[in-house]
Amino acid sequence: METHNDIRLRPRFYKDIDENIDSVRQKFVDYAKSVPTGFLIKIRPNHIQFTIQGEKQKYWSPHLSIELEEKEGNEKNATHIRGLFGPAQTMWTFFVFLHFIIAGIFLIFTIFTYSNWMLHQSVKVDFLIILLMTICWVLLYFIGRQTRANGYGQMEELEQELNKIIS
């Protein structure tokens, strides 16, 4: 999986397997009975959460969400696997929260700037805050890229374990 040149912060992948969903799910259930140290797997009907835990877990450790779907046209004898790497849910929620705060401040000061401009008042402070919010947005993007880069080795570990399970 190539993730270095991708602008998305949450890399995705897709795999097709010539087995039905029940047999693929059973592989995950069997794997869950003897999970190696350092991994955690949660299985729901067609959704699987696969994460790093224990001493190897850091704030930037990736989580792998896997969806099992019937592959169309193969009479239920094939499975389409959709995988999505992402940060921990609490980290992602905090990250989105920061984006909303920055967007709100940006929008409010854009309105203030327009009002002050129409009233022929100084807009220097308003433009400064708008510029700072834009810089914060760019900074959050690069922080997200760096966080993903930190977790790249663990993403590969999770993908290798996934390949062991489904092969």
Side-chain angles (χ1 to χ4, degrees), residues 9 95 98-99 102 130-148:
L9 292 175
F95 197 73
L98 288 178
H99 276 281
I102 291 171
I130 289 171
L131 178 66
L132 286 174
M133 292 304 106
T134 305
I135 290 170
C136 287
W137 264 333
V138 171
L139 185 63
L140 279 178
Y141 173 76
F142 285 109
I143 289 170
R145 293 275 304 201
Q146 183 60 44
T147 300
R148 184 181 76 179

Side-chain angles (χ1 to χ4, degrees), residues 8 12 14 40 45 79 83 134 150:
R8 292 183 304 209
R12 294 163 167 68
Y14 307 96
L40 175 66
T79 302
T134 305
N150 289 346

